[in-house]
Amino acid sequence: RLFLGHVDFVRHRRLLGVGKHPAYDLRTLLPPWPDLRRPSLAGFGRPMTFHIRIDAAGQYAANLEAFLRQLPYSTTISIGEPKRNRDYKNAHFPKRKADPVDSLACARFAIVERPTATPATPTEFLPLRDLAGALQSQRRQTTRAVNQLHNHLSRVFPELAVMAPDIGADWVLCLLQKYPTPQKIAAARIASLEQIPHVTHQRALSLQAAARDSTGALKGELAEPLVRHLVEGVQRSQQAECQLEKLLEQAFEALPEGGHRQLLTIPGIGVRTAAALAAKIISIDRFRSPAALVSYFGAFPEENSSGVDKSGKPVAAGTEKMSSKGSDLVRGLLWMACQSAIQHNPAIRDLYARQMANNQRGSVALGHCMRKMLHLVYAIWKTNQPFDPARHAAPTKADTVPVTNVVAEPATPADKPEPTGENAAAGHTGASPQEKVVTAAATHVGTRTVLPDSGPDKHLTPTEEIHNVPASDNRRFIDFTEIRRKISMTDVLRKLGQLDRLHGRGAQRRGPCPVHTPQAQHPTAKTFSVNLDKQVFRCLHPECAAQGNVLDLWAAIHKLPLRDAAIHLAETFHIELSAPPRHHAHRRK
């Protein structure tokens, strides 16, 4: 489904549409417009630009995309997901269902919404992408075949599902291929059963005992060939899956050098997982932040408090489950990769230990590990640097760097000083896995690290300049939550002189970014977006990409670490820092 339109859609209202049926060919419509190659069209008086919106569904769409990218015209091609395009159509045309309506919705999205151009897939990644799609489809076929076998065994030998939770295991398939019915298993010799891989003497005795007392209703000669047929179907599907996995790994090895190669340095990620990630990501520049990559693969929990649970009781409010969005191929491989990473990857191992110490279920802890793994994938691919275990290991007292400008009292070996300095971990000693590691080395805003500066930035024009900001003292208790509660985003923007420069009347405001945009040069810029109700901000400029709460904004503007920014913000608004909780004071003693 393809639509092309002039940039001035409201004024000219001229569209050229091609339906989803293969009989419609764009090449048959272009010859009547021989002057498209000219810099301007008669009647328009300015260069022509085509905004093209297509669905990313079907091979016809892939062939059409390849053809459109070869056109010698000025084009902006955006490829939308079928569901998103369908939801957009239902929002604007809820009572109409027809191909022309779908076409109009796509054209309206391309002209009015102006989506960003979708980058072309490199030629080297095309085989990898197709193999990943084929492998994902084959895995679903294997699941369907196993479910069919399981459904049939529930009437032939239902006790086997209790003894073998995984019906698709090799030893179960070999057992059913040789002895398809419980009568055959009961009549077999123990020595013959023990020749099947992973069938021990005790398991063979249990199988025969369950086969003799089986309650299966389907018996007779017709049950045997049907079970063997279903078993052969599962085995063929598993063999095809193994062949596609080998081809996927070969396609990944054939890729040129790039950041995707560094994924193999992450402990837990093998060639197969790296190939699946590369096939779906294609280019890491498509994602602005690690959070976008996590959302793309659905590695986050969703609230599921509707209906009843397995016991028939109403689901408690706030109950969450893992999201089912994203590629199930990548999600399955990441799940297996995290099970290996919790043993060999220091970053994943420490996170898993903290989650388990907080009494989380193993599946929930692995879900957090999947999210952390995607953050590592983003960082490694983006920087094109190998994984450094020492960088991601939990900091200890021996790893911290003492501060030179803070005079500390001498301590005895029995009373070691707490880690201080900008490179030390704030509130984390390496002994307690419950605490989250928060480093004070720099203020990380989104995907950009704002380092402390020795002097004021000439491009920053805050209302008040910082003079003689004291060095960070880790022994001083700072309640970040209390500071954010007492100081609103509106107060901070008004103090900085930025509130009047923002456009809008509601909670959402837009204007020039106070972090990187000089007000005198760009007074009408609108890259800075802030929500006064949610107390968050974000800069849409790709080179800035600053985001966060009031503390992050204050730290980014004044070039301060987060801890120093919190102290300076509290002093600016004359807010007294509360005393530490009792357990903190006791720990300090």
Side-chain angles (χ1 to χ4, degrees):
R1 194 175 292 119
L2 164 72
F3 293 87
L4 303 92
H6 190 263
V7 290
D8 196 355
F9 171 72
V10 179
R11 178 181 176 184
H12 299 287
R13 298 182 182 276
R14 296 195 178 186
L15 294 175
L16 173 64
V18 178
K20 62 181 181 180
H21 196 274
Y24 295 92
D25 194 347
L26 179 66
R27 287 170 291 188
T28 62
L29 299 177
L30 288 180
W33 290 20
D35 53 352
L36 279 175
R37 300 177 184 274
R38 296 171 54 188
S40 63
L41 293 175
F44 293 101
R46 56 180 178 176
M48 171 70 75
T49 299
F50 289 100
H51 293 274
I52 306 175
R53 177 74 172 179
I54 62 177
D55 280 345
Q59 293 300 322
Y60 178 69
N63 297 334
L64 186 59
E65 176 192 356
F67 169 74
L68 291 173
R69 295 194 182 278
Q70 299 175 0
L71 296 178
Y73 317 129
S74 177
T75 58
T76 300
I77 303 176
S78 67
I79 303 175
E81 301 157 354
K83 185 180 183 302
R84 181 170 297 179
N85 291 342
R86 185 166 56 252
D87 293 343
Y88 187 84
K89 189 270 296 183
N90 293 334
H92 292 278
F93 308 99
K95 298 182 179 180
R96 301 178 62 186
K97 179 175 176 58
D99 288 343
V101 178
D102 296 343
S103 302
L104 181 59
C106 278
R108 187 185 189 280
F109 189 92
I111 303 302
V112 177
E113 303 297 335
R114 299 291 179 86
T116 57
T118 302
T121 303
T123 307
E124 299 83 359
F125 281 82
L126 291 177
L128 185 69
R129 185 186 63 179
D130 293 342
L131 285 172
L135 178 58
Q136 181 171 326
S137 300
Q138 189 61 45
R139 285 201 167 188
R140 293 176 180 175
Q141 181 63 31
T142 303
T143 303
R144 284 192 291 267
V146 171
N147 291 338
Q148 291 176 0
L149 177 61
H150 191 282
N151 185 28
H152 186 69
L153 287 176
S154 63
R155 297 186 297 274
V156 176
F157 191 11
E159 293 79 9
L160 182 60
V162 180
M163 305 179 63
D166 186 10
I167 298 297
D170 292 338
W171 74 270
V172 178
L173 297 178
C174 293
L175 174 67
L176 294 176
Q177 184 69 26
K178 192 173 183 180
Y179 307 104
T181 61
Q183 292 76 22
K184 293 286 186 180
I185 296 177
R189 295 182 302 174
I190 296 296
S192 299
L193 293 177
E194 293 177 354
Q195 292 179 358
I196 300 176
H198 303 287
V199 176
T200 60
H201 181 73
Q202 185 63 32
R203 177 173 287 181
L205 294 176
S206 301
L207 286 172
Q208 279 200 339
R212 294 191 189 99
D213 301 332
S214 177
T215 59
L218 186 58
K219 303 177 182 179
E221 298 180 355
L222 296 180
E224 296 183 12
L226 186 55
V227 171
R228 285 195 175 98
H229 172 72
L230 294 175
V231 169
E232 292 175 357
V234 174
Q235 291 176 340
R236 286 195 301 267
S237 183
Q238 290 179 347
Q239 292 175 1
E241 186 178 330
C242 293
Q243 294 176 359
L244 289 174
E245 290 175 352
K246 294 180 181 179
L247 292 176
L248 183 68
E249 295 176 359
Q250 294 177 4
F252 179 78
E253 296 293 343
L255 292 179
E257 295 295 331
H260 55 275
R261 292 284 186 183
Q262 303 295 343
L263 299 182
L264 297 176
T265 63
I266 303 177
I269 292 184
V271 180
R272 190 180 309 165
T273 306
L277 287 169
K280 297 299 181 180
I281 296 176
I282 303 296
S283 175
I284 200 63
D285 296 332
R286 295 170 52 201
F287 305 93
R288 291 186 176 181
S289 63
L293 186 63
V294 172
S295 300
Y296 180 74
F297 289 113
F300 56 89
E302 289 182 330
E303 184 178 0
N304 183 29
S305 56
S306 176
V308 296
D309 56 10
K310 296 180 180 179
S311 303
K313 300 179 181 179
V315 180
T319 303
E320 295 181 340
K321 70 173 184 179
M322 201 67 174
S323 173
S324 59
K325 299 181 177 63
S327 171
D328 51 358
L329 172 65
V330 176
R331 290 162 56 86
L333 292 174
L334 280 178
W335 182 269
M336 300 301 296
C338 288
Q339 292 187 10
S340 174
I342 59 178
Q343 301 179 8
H344 307 286
N345 192 320
I348 305 299
R349 181 177 60 245
D350 297 338
L351 175 60
Y352 185 79
R354 291 195 296 270
Q355 293 297 323
M356 296 302 293
N358 291 332
N359 297 325
Q360 295 284 6
R361 297 197 314 270
S363 59
V364 176
L366 280 176
H368 286 277
C369 294
M370 289 175 60
R371 178 181 177 274
K372 179 65 176 180
M373 184 69 77
L374 289 176
H375 277 250
L376 295 178
V377 168
Y378 184 89
I380 296 300
W381 194 334
K382 192 77 172 180
T383 60
N384 196 11
Q385 297 294 328
F387 179 82
D388 186 7
R391 180 178 181 182
H392 298 281
T396 59
K397 295 181 179 180
D399 297 331
T400 57
V401 180
V403 174
T404 57
N405 57 352
V406 176
V407 180
E409 298 179 0
T412 60
D415 183 20
K416 295 182 180 180
E418 295 292 333
T420 58
E422 296 181 354
N423 293 329
H428 187 80
T429 60
S432 176
Q434 293 90 340
E435 300 293 336
K436 181 179 180 181
V437 180
V438 181
T439 59
T443 302
H444 184 73
V445 184
T447 59
R448 187 175 63 93
T449 302
V450 183
L451 298 177
D453 196 357
S454 58
D457 195 332
K458 63 178 181 180
H459 296 298
L460 299 177
T461 58
T463 304
E464 297 180 359
E465 294 290 343
I466 298 180
H467 299 286
N468 300 325
V469 177
S472 176
D473 186 2
N474 286 343
R475 294 174 297 178
R476 187 178 183 182
F477 177 77
I478 304 296
D479 192 344
F480 296 97
T481 304
E482 181 182 5
I483 295 176
R484 294 197 305 266
R485 180 174 56 84
K486 292 183 178 180
I487 305 175
S488 64
M489 183 68 73
T490 305
D491 298 335
V492 172
L493 292 174
R494 185 180 291 111
K495 189 71 174 179
L496 295 173
Q498 304 292 331
L499 187 61
D500 297 336
R501 296 186 174 95
L502 300 179
H503 304 276
R505 298 181 179 179
Q508 195 72 30
R509 306 289 181 89
R510 295 287 294 273
C513 178
V515 179
H516 77 281
T517 305
Q519 298 293 343
Q521 298 181 9
H522 303 283
T524 60
K526 295 183 180 181
T527 60
F528 182 76
S529 177
V530 59
N531 193 302
L532 302 180
D533 291 342
K534 297 181 180 180
Q535 305 292 320
V536 293
F537 78 96
R538 183 176 184 178
C539 179
L540 303 179
H541 196 278
E543 296 182 358
C544 179
Q547 61 180 350
N549 51 36
V550 291
L551 291 177
D552 298 320
L553 179 61
W554 195 267
I557 291 179
H558 296 97
K559 300 290 185 180
L560 286 175
L562 188 61
R563 187 178 182 84
D564 292 342
I567 297 175
H568 181 260
L569 182 62
E571 294 176 351
T572 302
F573 285 88
H574 306 287
I575 295 178
E576 296 183 0
L577 299 177
S578 59
R582 184 174 302 175
H583 65 277
H584 282 277
H586 178 72
R587 185 183 303 172
R588 226 178 250 113
K589 292 179 182 179

